[in-house]
Amino acid sequence: ISAFRAGSFASNADTYRALRACGIGIDSSLNEVMPDSGPDLRGRLDFTRPQFFEGVRILPMTIFRDGIGRPRPAQLGACSFAEMRDAMEAAYACGTENFVILSQNFEMLRQDSSVPDTIVVRRFEALCAYRDANRDRLQAVKMDQRPIASPESAPTCLPEVSLGATLIRHG
């Protein structure tokens, strides 16, 4: 194990000391929109940029502003494909080197069922096809592979998506 994410993003400073003690050097537990994510680290760490803390490289969950201005995590089951595409493009235009997407193991299934959720499956397929068509710009890597941006190189802009992309999700 070389990378970690706390369940429900519930992490704190002790999480990073424990990861360092276990030899796990990469974490993605910080999520700006989750209140249980780093409550003792808010104001001390930037939840939108890669950084080092307690000897662990942190790649926070990517957050973007949806079409009505609310912060939203880049999560497969929580965003429309159009939002994810717009957010990736906005992050790329801003010079962001990492775009962390979350996908839970159960997201492509209907709730309490083993039947595929066709909306999320189509969204995943569209995201994969889009990323593949743009592989020269949008490289996919595992958490433990390079390149991982240095904190100094990370831009400070928060990606924003169009109102239309958000309305697709609400539709």
Side-chain angles (χ1 to χ4, degrees), residues 7-151:
S8 300
F9 296 96
S11 61
N12 61 27
D14 291 334
T15 303
Y16 296 99
R17 287 188 277 278
L19 289 172
R20 183 187 68 223
C22 292
I24 298 173
I26 302 171
D27 176 77
S28 192
S29 297
L30 292 186
N31 184 333
E32 179 80 20
V33 300
M34 298 293 287
D36 289 337
S37 181
D40 60 338
L41 300 172
R42 292 181 186 267
R44 291 172 56 193
L45 297 180
D46 183 338
F47 281 41
T48 63
R49 298 171 60 134
Q51 61 212 288
F52 288 97
F53 181 70
E54 294 289 343
V56 176
R57 185 182 295 258
I58 300 172
L59 292 172
M61 177 74 196
T62 295
I63 304 298
F64 63 88
R65 292 214 177 276
D66 71 9
I68 47 182
R70 290 185 288 190
R72 189 138 193 98
Q75 181 174 348
L76 183 64
C79 304
S80 70
F81 163 68
E83 284 178 310
M84 200 74 85
R85 180 198 60 222
D86 284 5
M88 285 189 299
E89 288 297 338
Y92 180 80
C94 181
T96 301
E97 293 183 44
N98 293 284
F99 193 93
V100 178
I101 299 172
L102 172 66
S103 178
Q104 307 277 4
N105 60 337
F106 53 80
E107 283 184 312
M108 285 198 247
L109 299 175
R110 290 186 188 161
Q111 190 171 0
D112 299 322
S113 168
S114 60
V115 175
D117 181 328
T118 56
I119 293 171
V120 181
V121 170
R122 281 195 313 264
R123 184 181 302 153
F124 178 69
E125 289 172 344
L127 181 62
C128 290
Y130 182 76
R131 215 276 321 146
D132 185 51
N134 293 279
R135 68 177 44 239
D136 58 318
R137 297 179 310 117
L138 307 174
Q139 298 176 4
V141 297
K142 297 186 308 185
M143 286 293 242
D144 63 347
Q145 290 179 310
R146 299 288 183 244
I148 294 178
S150 65

